[in-house]
PDB file of all heavy atoms in Angstrom:
ATOM      1  N   ASN A  44      -1.167  11.725   0.197  1.00  0.00           N
ATOM      2  CA  ASN A  44      -1.363  12.956   0.961  1.00  0.00           C
ATOM      3  C   ASN A  44      -2.554  12.729   1.900  1.00  0.00           C
ATOM      4  O   ASN A  44      -3.552  12.154   1.548  1.00  0.00           O
ATOM      5  CB  ASN A  44      -1.658  14.109   0.024  1.00  0.00           C
ATOM      6  CG  ASN A  44      -1.498  15.479   0.675  1.00  0.00           C
ATOM      7  OD1 ASN A  44      -0.516  15.707   1.406  1.00  0.00           O
ATOM      8  ND2 ASN A  44      -2.409  16.374   0.425  1.00  0.00           N
ATOM      9  N   ASN A  45      -2.405  13.164   3.169  1.00  0.00           N
ATOM     10  CA  ASN A  45      -3.420  12.969   4.235  1.00  0.00           C
ATOM     11  C   ASN A  45      -3.380  11.577   4.890  1.00  0.00           C
ATOM     12  O   ASN A  45      -4.142  11.332   5.806  1.00  0.00           O
ATOM     13  CB  ASN A  45      -4.832  13.265   3.750  1.00  0.00           C
ATOM     14  CG  ASN A  45      -5.039  14.713   3.354  1.00  0.00           C
ATOM     15  OD1 ASN A  45      -4.478  15.605   4.022  1.00  0.00           O
ATOM     16  ND2 ASN A  45      -5.803  14.973   2.335  1.00  0.00           N
ATOM     17  N   SER A  46      -2.461  10.713   4.427  1.00  0.00           N
ATOM     18  CA  SER A  46      -2.272   9.411   5.123  1.00  0.00           C
ATOM     19  C   SER A  46      -1.600   9.662   6.435  1.00  0.00           C
ATOM     20  O   SER A  46      -0.805  10.608   6.606  1.00  0.00           O
ATOM     21  CB  SER A  46      -1.407   8.506   4.273  1.00  0.00           C
ATOM     22  OG  SER A  46      -2.031   8.113   3.094  1.00  0.00           O
ATOM     23  N   TYR A  47      -1.856   8.772   7.456  1.00  0.00           N
ATOM     24  CA  TYR A  47      -1.132   8.853   8.664  1.00  0.00           C
ATOM     25  C   TYR A  47       0.089   7.891   8.548  1.00  0.00           C
ATOM     26  O   TYR A  47      -0.060   6.783   8.052  1.00  0.00           O
ATOM     27  CB  TYR A  47      -1.984   8.421   9.879  1.00  0.00           C
ATOM     28  CG  TYR A  47      -2.831   9.535  10.402  1.00  0.00           C
ATOM     29  CD1 TYR A  47      -4.174   9.638  10.064  1.00  0.00           C
ATOM     30  CD2 TYR A  47      -2.286  10.508  11.251  1.00  0.00           C
ATOM     31  CE1 TYR A  47      -4.970  10.666  10.552  1.00  0.00           C
ATOM     32  CE2 TYR A  47      -3.056  11.538  11.727  1.00  0.00           C
ATOM     33  CZ  TYR A  47      -4.405  11.628  11.378  1.00  0.00           C
ATOM     34  OH  TYR A  47      -5.146  12.676  11.884  1.00  0.00           O
ATOM     35  N   VAL A  48       1.232   8.383   8.964  1.00  0.00           N
ATOM     36  CA  VAL A  48       2.482   7.590   8.876  1.00  0.00           C
ATOM     37  C   VAL A  48       3.238   7.672  10.213  1.00  0.00           C
ATOM     38  O   VAL A  48       3.293   8.749  10.834  1.00  0.00           O
ATOM     39  CB  VAL A  48       3.410   8.150   7.761  1.00  0.00           C
ATOM     40  CG1 VAL A  48       4.754   7.428   7.761  1.00  0.00           C
ATOM     41  CG2 VAL A  48       2.725   8.003   6.390  1.00  0.00           C
ATOM     42  N   LEU A  49       3.762   6.554  10.628  1.00  0.00           N
ATOM     43  CA  LEU A  49       4.622   6.539  11.789  1.00  0.00           C
ATOM     44  C   LEU A  49       6.071   6.505  11.296  1.00  0.00           C
ATOM     45  O   LEU A  49       6.504   5.501  10.720  1.00  0.00           O
ATOM     46  CB  LEU A  49       4.363   5.303  12.665  1.00  0.00           C
ATOM     47  CG  LEU A  49       5.157   5.262  13.989  1.00  0.00           C
ATOM     48  CD1 LEU A  49       4.636   6.253  14.998  1.00  0.00           C
ATOM     49  CD2 LEU A  49       5.144   3.823  14.585  1.00  0.00           C
ATOM     50  N   PHE A  50       6.764   7.606  11.462  1.00  0.00           N
ATOM     51  CA  PHE A  50       8.175   7.660  11.089  1.00  0.00           C
ATOM     52  C   PHE A  50       8.971   7.055  12.235  1.00  0.00           C
ATOM     53  O   PHE A  50       9.008   7.603  13.327  1.00  0.00           O
ATOM     54  CB  PHE A  50       8.624   9.117  10.826  1.00  0.00           C
ATOM     55  CG  PHE A  50       8.023   9.705   9.588  1.00  0.00           C
ATOM     56  CD1 PHE A  50       7.063  10.730   9.693  1.00  0.00           C
ATOM     57  CD2 PHE A  50       8.427   9.308   8.319  1.00  0.00           C
ATOM     58  CE1 PHE A  50       6.488  11.306   8.572  1.00  0.00           C
ATOM     59  CE2 PHE A  50       7.878   9.880   7.169  1.00  0.00           C
ATOM     60  CZ  PHE A  50       6.904  10.863   7.292  1.00  0.00           C
ATOM     61  N   PHE A  51       9.617   5.917  11.957  1.00  0.00           N
ATOM     62  CA  PHE A  51      10.292   5.156  12.999  1.00  0.00           C
ATOM     63  C   PHE A  51      11.805   5.203  12.828  1.00  0.00           C
ATOM     64  O   PHE A  51      12.342   4.797  11.822  1.00  0.00           O
ATOM     65  CB  PHE A  51       9.836   3.686  12.950  1.00  0.00           C
ATOM     66  CG  PHE A  51      10.490   2.803  13.971  1.00  0.00           C
ATOM     67  CD1 PHE A  51       9.873   2.605  15.209  1.00  0.00           C
ATOM     68  CD2 PHE A  51      11.696   2.197  13.725  1.00  0.00           C
ATOM     69  CE1 PHE A  51      10.476   1.763  16.172  1.00  0.00           C
ATOM     70  CE2 PHE A  51      12.322   1.353  14.672  1.00  0.00           C
ATOM     71  CZ  PHE A  51      11.687   1.164  15.893  1.00  0.00           C
ATOM     72  N   TYR A  52      12.476   5.738  13.869  1.00  0.00           N
ATOM     73  CA  TYR A  52      13.957   5.756  13.881  1.00  0.00           C
ATOM     74  C   TYR A  52      14.481   4.681  14.832  1.00  0.00           C
ATOM     75  O   TYR A  52      15.299   3.850  14.460  1.00  0.00           O
ATOM     76  CB  TYR A  52      14.504   7.149  14.279  1.00  0.00           C
ATOM     77  CG  TYR A  52      16.004   7.205  14.317  1.00  0.00           C
ATOM     78  CD1 TYR A  52      16.719   7.139  13.120  1.00  0.00           C
ATOM     79  CD2 TYR A  52      16.670   7.371  15.520  1.00  0.00           C
ATOM     80  CE1 TYR A  52      18.129   7.185  13.152  1.00  0.00           C
ATOM     81  CE2 TYR A  52      18.057   7.425  15.537  1.00  0.00           C
ATOM     82  CZ  TYR A  52      18.774   7.329  14.381  1.00  0.00           C
ATOM     83  OH  TYR A  52      20.155   7.416  14.384  1.00  0.00           O
ATOM     84  N   ASN A  53      13.974   4.660  16.075  1.00  0.00           N
ATOM     85  CA  ASN A  53      14.229   3.602  17.007  1.00  0.00           C
ATOM     86  C   ASN A  53      13.046   3.534  18.008  1.00  0.00           C
ATOM     87  O   ASN A  53      12.106   4.267  17.892  1.00  0.00           O
ATOM     88  CB  ASN A  53      15.610   3.730  17.710  1.00  0.00           C
ATOM     89  CG  ASN A  53      15.747   5.051  18.483  1.00  0.00           C
ATOM     90  OD1 ASN A  53      14.748   5.577  18.983  1.00  0.00           O
ATOM     91  ND2 ASN A  53      16.913   5.599  18.518  1.00  0.00           N
ATOM     92  N   ASP A  54      13.211   2.662  19.011  1.00  0.00           N
ATOM     93  CA  ASP A  54      12.086   2.475  19.994  1.00  0.00           C
ATOM     94  C   ASP A  54      11.689   3.721  20.706  1.00  0.00           C
ATOM     95  O   ASP A  54      10.519   3.887  21.055  1.00  0.00           O
ATOM     96  CB  ASP A  54      12.472   1.383  20.999  1.00  0.00           C
ATOM     97  CG  ASP A  54      12.466   0.001  20.385  1.00  0.00           C
ATOM     98  OD1 ASP A  54      11.829  -0.181  19.317  1.00  0.00           O
ATOM     99  OD2 ASP A  54      13.092  -0.910  20.954  1.00  0.00           O
ATOM    100  N   SER A  55      12.601   4.642  20.944  1.00  0.00           N
ATOM    101  CA  SER A  55      12.271   5.847  21.680  1.00  0.00           C
ATOM    102  C   SER A  55      12.123   7.054  20.808  1.00  0.00           C
ATOM    103  O   SER A  55      11.682   8.098  21.268  1.00  0.00           O
ATOM    104  CB  SER A  55      13.376   6.119  22.705  1.00  0.00           C
ATOM    105  OG  SER A  55      14.608   6.326  22.094  1.00  0.00           O
ATOM    106  N   LYS A  56      12.422   6.935  19.530  1.00  0.00           N
ATOM    107  CA  LYS A  56      12.310   8.045  18.584  1.00  0.00           C
ATOM    108  C   LYS A  56      11.418   7.659  17.427  1.00  0.00           C
ATOM    109  O   LYS A  56      11.878   7.022  16.446  1.00  0.00           O
ATOM    110  CB  LYS A  56      13.696   8.478  18.066  1.00  0.00           C
ATOM    111  CG  LYS A  56      14.695   8.835  19.161  1.00  0.00           C
ATOM    112  CD  LYS A  56      14.258  10.075  19.981  1.00  0.00           C
ATOM    113  CE  LYS A  56      15.266  10.412  21.035  1.00  0.00           C
ATOM    114  NZ  LYS A  56      14.818  11.528  21.922  1.00  0.00           N
ATOM    115  N   LYS A  57      10.151   8.011  17.534  1.00  0.00           N
ATOM    116  CA  LYS A  57       9.208   7.733  16.437  1.00  0.00           C
ATOM    117  C   LYS A  57       8.101   8.787  16.482  1.00  0.00           C
ATOM    118  O   LYS A  57       7.706   9.256  17.542  1.00  0.00           O
ATOM    119  CB  LYS A  57       8.633   6.313  16.572  1.00  0.00           C
ATOM    120  CG  LYS A  57       8.205   5.871  17.915  1.00  0.00           C
ATOM    121  CD  LYS A  57       7.921   4.370  17.957  1.00  0.00           C
ATOM    122  CE  LYS A  57       7.707   3.918  19.351  1.00  0.00           C
ATOM    123  NZ  LYS A  57       7.475   2.456  19.446  1.00  0.00           N
ATOM    124  N   TRP A  58       7.634   9.187  15.299  1.00  0.00           N
ATOM    125  CA  TRP A  58       6.719  10.315  15.197  1.00  0.00           C
ATOM    126  C   TRP A  58       5.524   9.940  14.317  1.00  0.00           C
ATOM    127  O   TRP A  58       5.688   9.456  13.248  1.00  0.00           O
ATOM    128  CB  TRP A  58       7.451  11.481  14.606  1.00  0.00           C
ATOM    129  CG  TRP A  58       8.712  11.871  15.324  1.00  0.00           C
ATOM    130  CD1 TRP A  58       8.844  12.721  16.367  1.00  0.00           C
ATOM    131  CD2 TRP A  58      10.071  11.385  15.071  1.00  0.00           C
ATOM    132  NE1 TRP A  58      10.130  12.813  16.805  1.00  0.00           N
ATOM    133  CE2 TRP A  58      10.913  11.987  15.991  1.00  0.00           C
ATOM    134  CE3 TRP A  58      10.597  10.501  14.116  1.00  0.00           C
ATOM    135  CZ2 TRP A  58      12.281  11.740  16.040  1.00  0.00           C
ATOM    136  CZ3 TRP A  58      11.963  10.263  14.131  1.00  0.00           C
ATOM    137  CH2 TRP A  58      12.782  10.875  15.092  1.00  0.00           C
ATOM    138  N   LEU A  59       4.345  10.169  14.887  1.00  0.00           N
ATOM    139  CA  LEU A  59       3.102   9.934  14.137  1.00  0.00           C
ATOM    140  C   LEU A  59       2.705  11.213  13.449  1.00  0.00           C
ATOM    141  O   LEU A  59       2.467  12.227  14.112  1.00  0.00           O
ATOM    142  CB  LEU A  59       2.013   9.426  15.098  1.00  0.00           C
ATOM    143  CG  LEU A  59       0.660   9.092  14.485  1.00  0.00           C
ATOM    144  CD1 LEU A  59       0.764   7.977  13.458  1.00  0.00           C
ATOM    145  CD2 LEU A  59      -0.369   8.759  15.561  1.00  0.00           C
ATOM    146  N   GLN A  60       2.573  11.152  12.152  1.00  0.00           N
ATOM    147  CA  GLN A  60       2.298  12.358  11.370  1.00  0.00           C
ATOM    148  C   GLN A  60       1.209  12.140  10.338  1.00  0.00           C
ATOM    149  O   GLN A  60       1.087  11.065   9.746  1.00  0.00           O
ATOM    150  CB  GLN A  60       3.559  12.800  10.609  1.00  0.00           C
ATOM    151  CG  GLN A  60       4.695  13.224  11.498  1.00  0.00           C
ATOM    152  CD  GLN A  60       4.576  14.672  11.940  1.00  0.00           C
ATOM    153  OE1 GLN A  60       4.639  15.600  11.133  1.00  0.00           O
ATOM    154  NE2 GLN A  60       4.421  14.887  13.239  1.00  0.00           N
ATOM    155  N   LYS A  61       0.359  13.145  10.121  1.00  0.00           N
ATOM    156  CA  LYS A  61      -0.577  13.142   8.987  1.00  0.00           C
ATOM    157  C   LYS A  61       0.122  13.822   7.839  1.00  0.00           C
ATOM    158  O   LYS A  61       0.534  15.019   7.967  1.00  0.00           O
ATOM    159  CB  LYS A  61      -1.880  13.877   9.354  1.00  0.00           C
ATOM    160  CG  LYS A  61      -2.926  13.795   8.302  1.00  0.00           C
ATOM    161  CD  LYS A  61      -4.237  14.476   8.740  1.00  0.00           C
ATOM    162  CE  LYS A  61      -5.307  14.313   7.664  1.00  0.00           C
ATOM    163  NZ  LYS A  61      -6.575  14.970   8.080  1.00  0.00           N
ATOM    164  N   ILE A  62       0.268  13.099   6.735  1.00  0.00           N
ATOM    165  CA  ILE A  62       1.084  13.630   5.632  1.00  0.00           C
ATOM    166  C   ILE A  62       0.416  14.853   4.952  1.00  0.00           C
ATOM    167  O   ILE A  62      -0.760  14.816   4.590  1.00  0.00           O
ATOM    168  CB  ILE A  62       1.323  12.536   4.565  1.00  0.00           C
ATOM    169  CG1 ILE A  62       2.129  11.412   5.188  1.00  0.00           C
ATOM    170  CG2 ILE A  62       2.028  13.095   3.329  1.00  0.00           C
ATOM    171  CD1 ILE A  62       3.487  11.779   5.715  1.00  0.00           C
ATOM    172  N   ASP A  63       1.206  15.900   4.846  1.00  0.00           N
ATOM    173  CA  ASP A  63       0.788  17.137   4.164  1.00  0.00           C
ATOM    174  C   ASP A  63       1.989  17.530   3.285  1.00  0.00           C
ATOM    175  O   ASP A  63       3.067  17.843   3.811  1.00  0.00           O
ATOM    176  CB  ASP A  63       0.478  18.210   5.195  1.00  0.00           C
ATOM    177  CG  ASP A  63       0.040  19.536   4.557  1.00  0.00           C
ATOM    178  OD1 ASP A  63       0.317  19.749   3.355  1.00  0.00           O
ATOM    179  OD2 ASP A  63      -0.578  20.344   5.237  1.00  0.00           O
ATOM    180  N   LYS A  64       1.805  17.486   1.981  1.00  0.00           N
ATOM    181  CA  LYS A  64       2.912  17.738   1.056  1.00  0.00           C
ATOM    182  C   LYS A  64       3.645  19.058   1.249  1.00  0.00           C
ATOM    183  O   LYS A  64       4.757  19.231   0.794  1.00  0.00           O
ATOM    184  CB  LYS A  64       2.443  17.587  -0.385  1.00  0.00           C
ATOM    185  CG  LYS A  64       1.345  18.571  -0.778  1.00  0.00           C
ATOM    186  CD  LYS A  64       0.884  18.295  -2.204  1.00  0.00           C
ATOM    187  CE  LYS A  64      -0.238  19.234  -2.605  1.00  0.00           C
ATOM    188  NZ  LYS A  64      -0.778  18.921  -3.948  1.00  0.00           N
ATOM    189  N   LYS A  65       3.003  19.979   2.006  1.00  0.00           N
ATOM    190  CA  LYS A  65       3.638  21.289   2.234  1.00  0.00           C
ATOM    191  C   LYS A  65       4.392  21.340   3.543  1.00  0.00           C
ATOM    192  O   LYS A  65       5.059  22.342   3.837  1.00  0.00           O
ATOM    193  CB  LYS A  65       2.579  22.368   2.232  1.00  0.00           C
ATOM    194  CG  LYS A  65       1.811  22.559   0.911  1.00  0.00           C
ATOM    195  CD  LYS A  65       0.771  23.632   0.988  1.00  0.00           C
ATOM    196  CE  LYS A  65       0.012  23.776  -0.329  1.00  0.00           C
ATOM    197  NZ  LYS A  65      -1.006  24.861  -0.257  1.00  0.00           N
ATOM    198  N   GLN A  66       4.329  20.279   4.330  1.00  0.00           N
ATOM    199  CA  GLN A  66       4.895  20.270   5.662  1.00  0.00           C
ATOM    200  C   GLN A  66       6.191  19.492   5.746  1.00  0.00           C
ATOM    201  O   GLN A  66       6.460  18.581   4.928  1.00  0.00           O
ATOM    202  CB  GLN A  66       3.900  19.692   6.687  1.00  0.00           C
ATOM    203  CG  GLN A  66       2.602  20.482   6.796  1.00  0.00           C
ATOM    204  CD  GLN A  66       2.852  21.897   7.346  1.00  0.00           C
ATOM    205  OE1 GLN A  66       3.639  22.103   8.268  1.00  0.00           O
ATOM    206  NE2 GLN A  66       2.156  22.866   6.774  1.00  0.00           N
ATOM    207  N   SER A  67       6.992  19.791   6.786  1.00  0.00           N
ATOM    208  CA  SER A  67       8.221  19.041   7.081  1.00  0.00           C
ATOM    209  C   SER A  67       8.234  18.783   8.576  1.00  0.00           C
ATOM    210  O   SER A  67       7.762  19.590   9.374  1.00  0.00           O
ATOM    211  CB  SER A  67       9.454  19.810   6.643  1.00  0.00           C
ATOM    212  OG  SER A  67       9.513  19.981   5.265  1.00  0.00           O
TER     213      SER A  67
END
Side-chain angles (χ1 to χ4, degrees):
N44 197 44
N45 294 323
S46 294
Y47 277 100
V48 175
L49 184 74
F50 291 109
F51 179 93
Y52 180 68
N53 59 31
D54 288 339
S55 60
K56 304 296 180 185
K57 44 191 172 183
W58 306 271
L59 181 61
Q60 295 277 295
K61 184 177 183 180
I62 298 300
D63 181 339
K64 60 185 178 183
K65 297 179 181 179
Q66 298 296 319
S67 296

